[in-house]
Amino acid sequence: MKEASHIIDILRARGGVILDGSGREPAQLIECARAAAILRNMGDHSVDQLLEITRAGKGRVVLELDSSTLRQRTQYVGPFQESGLSGL
């Protein structure tokens, strides 16, 4: 896991980051939101904290509240896996 300052530097350089927000302090998440990020596993934060983070992002932050979405994506079986062409 990178330091919050490193993540913010990456975001300010216009890099894309998907950041696990669980276990991070709201102040760190606000700074990342200001620089634009996708923050996942945010369901444990209070509504007030989520609103503060969202406002700091000014339309450039995406919050994933339910990590089951990620599990669904990682369990997807696409057409190549079904046809046996997974090596392509």
Side-chain angles (χ1 to χ4, degrees), residues 8-79:
I8 292 166
D9 288 342
I10 292 167
L11 291 166
R12 287 185 179 149
R14 302 209 184 252
V17 173
I18 298 174
L19 182 63
D20 188 342
S22 61
R24 291 196 180 266
E25 294 294 320
Q28 289 178 335
L29 297 170
I30 288 168
E31 287 302 311
C32 290
R34 283 188 181 128
I38 297 174
L39 306 174
R40 40 182 223 119
N41 295 323
M42 298 295 291
D44 291 338
H45 293 277
S46 72
V47 173
D48 289 337
Q49 290 172 335
L50 293 174
L51 287 171
E52 187 176 5
I53 292 164
T54 302
R55 287 184 187 114
K58 296 182 182 178
R60 298 179 313 242
V61 65
V62 176
L63 303 178
E64 182 183 81
L65 301 177
D66 184 5
S67 62
S68 66
T69 306
L70 179 64
R71 283 194 296 272
Q72 290 170 358
R73 287 193 303 251
T74 58
Q75 294 176 356
Y76 172 74
V77 177

